[in-house]
Amino acid sequence: MQLGIIGLPNSGKTTVFNALTGSNYETSGVSGGKLAINTAVVNVPDVRVDKLSAIFQPKKTTYPTITYVDIGGLEKGVGEEGLPGPLRNALSPVDGFIHVIRAFADDTVPHPQVTIDPQRDLEIVDTEFLLTDLITVENRLSRLTEEVQKKGKKAAGRSAEEEIELLTRLKDHLEEDSPLRNLNLDEEEKTFLKGFGLLTLKPQVIVVNTEVPVDDPTQFVTVEHQNTILLALPAQIESEIAQLDEADRQIFMDEYGIAEPGANRVIRASYDLMSIQTFFTVGEDEVRGWSVSIGATAPEAAGVIHSDLQRGFIRAECITYEDFIAYGSMTKAKTEGKVRLEGKQYLVRDGDIMNIRFSV
Ligand SMILES: Nc1nc2c(ncn2[C@@H]2O[C@H](COP(=O)(O)OP(=O)(O)O)[C@@H](O)[C@H]2O)c(=O)[nH]1
Ligand SMILES: [Mg+2]
């Protein structure tokens, strides 16, 4: 799963990226809107993995991961004629966005719009994305309409008509200045639209970059979008915390009155936003958390581990994390009848501990 970190120049994207990933990429007060892309994979903190690892004492402990991509190059006006190709190629494939909004004031860091105004900045980027999506939808619509006219309705077929109907719905929605994430689409429509790379359809975590820790981000920004989470993060401080070793980190956090690195909150929020869930595999070799989409079947979850496990899937031995912790061992849980044998139709639930039986 990939999330793109976006925002206006000097909003603190690279600083947020460093805070989330523990990287140390150069930030800059003058870099402006250059297209620059940094990528890093981070573990999603999960106390259940910690606990299972403490019980099994495995050789290896593996957390679910998210990939963050720091995407520079967005500016007011870039969407008007359609985004430049390289920027478009960076934005389209991600599963969601971390949208960084500047709330810190600092005279040494110029703001492209001069003044500090978080709500305005949010709307600037939203507008660029709306325009970009509108161009995408209109282009596709006019090509389709042309095709139908040329071939005749019958030859173009039902699918063309259905697509025109869907795209017209998107177009009407965008023309009301509302991002597509507000539109209620069914699963089939969502799957169909995946290949279009529509930017306002992607869920987003809005991160308000503040000078000091604050509890309530709504004092800076209000949003009425679905599939959106609003958080505040003092990115500069957090990026410094991320560079420290364990002991120094605690001292630093105490000094600022920070209970948990804010980066963890942002990582978890971005994970929660993505309609994915975590299941576990356990053993002496490895305790591991895996990500799978909500609604996945047991064989699909097995396929996340290895394609052979999906292909040769027979059954899944399954117990909830809570039950396992309550009984303390697999043997005990089994005698109490808490380990279920699930078949191909089983829908995996968050917190399932699974052992896949397969044969290839
Ligand atoms: N004072 C202050 N400066 C910040 C904060 N976050 C980022 N900066 C500085 O703002 C400048 C631009 O940050 P950067 O992460 O490179 O922004 P980007 O252009 O969005 O990637 C850098 O000089 C950062 O050190 C913050 O919370 N407070
Ligand atoms: Mg940057």
Side-chain angles (χ1 to χ4, degrees):
M1 198 192 56
Q2 257 195 23
L3 277 107
I5 302 179
I6 55 158
L8 292 177
N10 283 347
S11 55
K13 297 179 293 298
T14 304
T15 310
V16 168
F17 176 83
N18 286 343
L20 297 184
T21 64
S23 323
N24 197 9
Y25 283 91
E26 194 183 345
T27 58
S28 145
V30 288
S31 67
K34 267 189 301 187
L35 176 68
I37 296 170
N38 308 314
T39 301
V41 179
V42 304
N43 291 336
V44 180
D46 189 328
V47 290
R48 297 171 299 181
V49 175
D50 298 334
K51 270 210 169 155
L52 291 171
S53 180
I55 293 169
F56 284 92
Q57 300 284 321
K59 295 193 192 93
K60 197 173 162 204
T61 300
T62 312
Y63 293 81
T65 60
I66 303 183
T67 303
Y68 288 104
V69 191
D70 168 19
I71 307 170
L74 213 59
E75 272 183 284
K76 188 178 161 96
V78 289
E80 268 155 35
E81 320 229 307
L83 293 177
L87 185 54
R88 185 78 219 256
N89 292 341
L91 294 167
S92 296
V94 302
D95 300 298
F97 293 118
I98 305 273
H99 187 161
V100 181
I101 305 285
R102 173 168 174 177
F104 68 89
D106 185 336
D107 291 340
T108 65
V109 181
H111 190 299
Q113 307 305 121
V114 185
T115 53
I116 306 299
D117 184 343
Q119 190 72 33
R120 172 204 62 202
D121 291 357
L122 175 69
E123 282 157 20
I124 286 176
V125 173
D126 273 355
T127 303
E128 299 304 330
F129 281 12
L130 274 166
L131 288 170
T132 305
D133 281 356
L134 196 55
I135 292 170
T136 307
V137 169
E138 278 174 345
N139 283 349
R140 176 73 189 151
L141 254 181
S142 69
R143 225 172 311 143
L144 265 178
T145 316
E146 217 172 276
E147 197 181 302
V148 171
Q149 273 165 358
K150 230 193 284 168
K151 284 193 195 164
K153 236 182 183 173
K154 211 157 183 192
R158 200 176 128 73
S159 62
E161 244 177 279
E162 276 176 17
E163 192 178 336
I164 288 176
E165 185 278 322
L166 173 61
L167 292 174
T168 307
R169 219 176 337 130
L170 301 192
K171 181 167 173 276
D172 293 346
H173 187 86
L174 288 165
E175 279 173 345
E176 284 171 20
D177 285 338
S178 177
L180 295 173
R181 65 179 70 89
N182 280 348
L183 197 62
N184 292 315
L185 298 165
D186 63 34
E187 286 309 314
E188 205 178 312
E189 289 168 334
K190 278 187 207 158
T191 311
F192 176 76
L193 289 172
K194 272 220 169 92
F196 287 68
L198 293 163
L199 304 177
T200 67
L201 193 55
K202 299 179 194 293
Q204 82 175 340
V205 182
I206 296 171
V207 171
V208 182
N209 182 7
T210 54
E211 189 65 42
V212 292
V214 298
D215 288 331
D216 179 19
T218 60
Q219 59 185 295
F220 301 103
V221 176
T222 54
V223 271
E224 287 160 18
H225 302 167
Q226 294 179 36
N227 299 313
T228 301
I229 295 175
L230 178 62
L231 295 172
L233 185 80
Q236 184 85 56
I237 296 173
E238 292 282 343
S239 70
E240 284 162 27
I241 292 177
Q243 292 299 315
L244 300 173
D245 61 41
E246 205 66 46
D248 289 342
R249 187 174 298 173
Q250 200 51 53
I251 299 170
F252 197 96
M253 281 165 49
D254 289 344
E255 197 172 310
Y256 281 95
I258 299 170
E260 186 200 13
N264 287 2
R265 268 186 306 127
V266 177
I267 293 167
R268 269 202 310 270
S270 51
Y271 192 77
D272 292 344
L273 186 66
M274 303 304 303
S275 309
I276 45 179
Q277 52 184 352
T278 309
F279 69 95
F280 307 103
T281 52
V282 294
E284 285 170 14
D285 285 333
E286 188 180 27
V287 163
R288 182 160 183 169
W290 305 84
S291 306
V292 67
S293 50
I294 292 172
T297 61
E300 282 164 350
V304 174
I305 303 172
H306 196 285
S307 55
D308 282 353
L309 270 62
Q310 179 163 16
R311 202 154 45 86
F313 181 92
I314 302 168
R315 275 179 194 293
E317 279 182 345
C318 210
I319 179 173
T320 66
Y321 169 80
E322 282 78 16
D323 278 346
F324 176 74
I325 295 295
Y327 290 96
S329 82
M330 261 331 156
T331 325
K332 185 87 202 306
K334 258 182 197 159
T335 54
E336 296 295 328
K338 290 294 174 188
V339 180
R340 294 161 277 133
L341 270 182
E342 301 287 3
K344 289 187 176 161
Q345 309 300 325
Y346 176 68
L347 299 183
V348 175
R349 276 177 295 181
D350 187 65
D352 278 344
I353 300 173
M354 302 222 283
N355 178 31
I356 310 294
R357 292 193 195 162
F358 73 108
S359 132
V360 282

